[in-house]
Amino acid sequence: MNQVQLRIVLAVTLSAAGFVPVRLSAQAQRSPVAPRRELVESVVREAYEKFRSDTSGKNADYIPYLAQVDSKLFGVAVITTDNQVFTLGDVNYSFSIQSISKVFTLALAMEEQGPDKVFERIGSEPTGRAFNSVPAVVDMPTHTGNPLVNAGAIATTSLISGKDADERWSKILAFYGKVAGEKLTLIEDVYKSEAATNTGNKALAMLLAKYERIYSDPFESVDIYTKQCSVGVNASQLARMGATLANNGVNPATGEQVIKRDDIPYILATMTMAGLYDSSGYWAWHVGLPSKSGVGGGIVAVAPGKGAIAVFAPRLDEAGNSVKAQKVIEFVAQKLNYNLYSPSSVGLK
Ligand code: DON
């Protein structure tokens, strides 16, 4: 078999196996950072097979829509900073981004206000409590905690400027689209379901108002926040959003600088401390990657300079993090030597 025949056989085998073939650019082929294509492909497949029949955890049900999402859905996507794409499973299913949105509203708030103001107005301490904790708001000196828990996220959304709620919401949605490299849309049914049941978030916003830690109308901010959580993404789009963070804010598909390079370290640090809520310590210990989960079942993990792993699987653990997504990411990150704290991941012997 000659070289050309070999390539054809390989391409047919991989596409039959569910991998999306992607043409590598000249830049991609020169990349010093991306692991070998065959390695990523085999690791993603191994992880997918290993965990596909795992049924632990259960769908979020405090947002009624999420309770009826098919729990068997399972999609894995890895996108490298040189835009190599590896996908397997239900990667075209659009699920609600939920709390993962908080990362990107934080990026937009920093773009508008600068990191110092955001730090001063929101803070960045882990709460050690559930993502929607009322006691955390009362007890923490900042009240807002950090931009990734509900209270801090609603306050971060309240920082986004605009002449009215529509303009602020449109700005947020357009920004997410630039980070994903394609237009994203609201899943109306998720929004309606959450808007009808989000009394807890309204209570958090009122409490923040009492402490003067919310920066525009509290209920309007909750409404925009609810919309941002209801934005639909599939695993590939989520992986590209993560790869943009991994690529110093430059979307690897469009080449556009969409998040300020200087803001990236603050975003990644915040994700490390609070991205998986009260499991963030476990996650830093075992995985060592800034990551963010959402109760829609998505998790994205960012390997700076290398790429991102996004997994969608709706069943959650007690902390509100997808069980299967955690297992897959832990496995893939370990096999690809992505752990930030491992000396060999940064080239040390
Ligand atoms: O505000 C809420 O409760 C949801 N819209 C988002 C919570 C969430 O995703 C927590 N994540 N693991």
Side-chain angles (χ1 to χ4, degrees):
M1 201 185 290
N2 65 28
Q3 277 276 345
V4 175
Q5 287 167 324
L6 185 69
R7 277 194 196 168
I8 293 170
V9 170
L10 202 66
V12 170
T13 315
L14 290 173
S15 83
F19 285 109
V20 174
V22 168
R23 214 185 169 76
L24 300 188
S25 64
Q27 183 205 357
Q29 286 159 9
R30 279 201 309 273
S31 168
V33 292
R36 282 180 301 113
R37 186 166 184 88
E38 314 79 68
L39 174 66
V40 183
E41 272 161 355
S42 72
V43 167
V44 169
R45 174 158 291 285
E46 203 183 336
Y48 184 83
E49 295 301 340
K50 191 172 163 69
F51 300 112
R52 70 187 303 177
S53 47
D54 190 310
T55 57
S56 34
K58 71 183 210 19
N59 285 32
D61 56 9
Y62 74 98
I63 299 171
Y65 180 99
L66 299 180
Q68 46 85 35
V69 170
D70 180 357
S71 327
K72 291 191 293 303
L73 287 164
F74 181 32
V76 182
V78 175
I79 299 187
T80 60
T81 48
D82 54 2
N83 202 34
Q84 298 186 58
V85 182
F86 308 88
T87 59
L88 202 50
D90 301 309
V91 286
N92 295 319
Y93 180 88
S94 195
F95 55 95
S96 54
I97 188 168
Q98 296 296 343
S99 279
I100 306 169
S101 67
K102 296 166 178 171
V103 171
F104 303 100
T105 300
L106 166 65
L108 181 58
M110 281 202 286
E111 169 137 354
E112 290 192 342
Q113 310 257 343
D116 292 347
K117 246 195 188 140
V118 173
F119 185 83
E120 176 197 309
R121 293 182 163 190
I122 311 293
S124 74
E125 298 305 330
T127 64
R129 306 265 180 90
F131 59 84
N132 49 6
S133 170
V134 172
V137 177
V138 176
D139 293 345
M140 293 194 78
T142 60
H143 306 293
T144 35
N146 66 67
L148 302 184
V149 291
N150 287 11
I154 294 164
T156 306
T157 300
S158 81
L159 286 174
I160 305 300
S161 65
K163 68 175 181 328
D164 56 26
D166 281 349
E167 188 175 295
R168 292 162 63 211
W169 158 238
S170 306
K171 195 193 271 185
I172 290 171
L173 185 62
F175 182 74
Y176 291 4
K178 281 202 296 179
V179 182
E182 56 193 290
K183 192 172 180 291
L184 298 177
T185 50
L186 179 78
I187 307 178
E188 280 288 345
D189 289 346
V190 176
Y191 168 63
K192 282 191 198 134
S193 179
E194 182 163 348
T197 51
N198 63 355
T199 44
N201 284 338
K202 288 179 183 148
L204 291 175
M206 288 315 285
L207 205 48
L208 291 176
K210 164 180 143 77
Y211 294 118
E212 299 181 1
R213 293 288 286 181
I214 191 156
Y215 307 103
S216 48
D217 181 80
F219 287 165
E220 193 176 285
S221 301
V222 171
D223 188 52
I224 299 171
Y225 163 84
T226 307
K227 284 185 176 143
Q228 76 176 48
C229 290
S230 308
V231 168
V233 284
N234 61 39
S236 303
Q237 290 165 333
L238 184 58
R240 186 158 290 110
M241 294 176 95
T244 300
L245 293 170
N247 199 31
N248 289 322
V250 175
N251 182 306
T254 64
E256 198 187 341
Q257 180 89 49
V258 290
I259 300 176
K260 274 195 189 153
R261 185 189 170 94
D262 289 352
D263 293 344
I264 295 290
Y266 302 116
I267 298 169
L268 297 182
T270 310
M271 290 169 76
T272 301
M273 289 182 297
L276 268 75
Y277 306 110
D278 32 349
S279 301
S280 299
Y282 169 93
W283 194 250
W285 181 291
H286 292 278
V287 182
L289 290 179
S291 305
K292 186 72 205 82
S293 63
V295 287
I299 301 187
V300 63
V302 178
K306 295 177 179 162
I309 311 163
V311 182
F312 164 60
R315 291 193 181 98
L316 311 179
D317 64 13
E318 290 293 308
N321 303 316
S322 165
V323 178
K324 214 138 87 173
Q326 290 178 79
K327 289 180 181 172
V328 169
I329 292 170
E330 186 167 345
F331 182 89
V332 172
Q334 203 263 328
K335 293 271 181 181
L336 297 182
N337 195 23
Y338 272 176
N339 187 325
L340 274 186
Y341 308 114
S342 140
S344 58
S345 79
V346 289
L348 297 174
K349 292 235 154 80

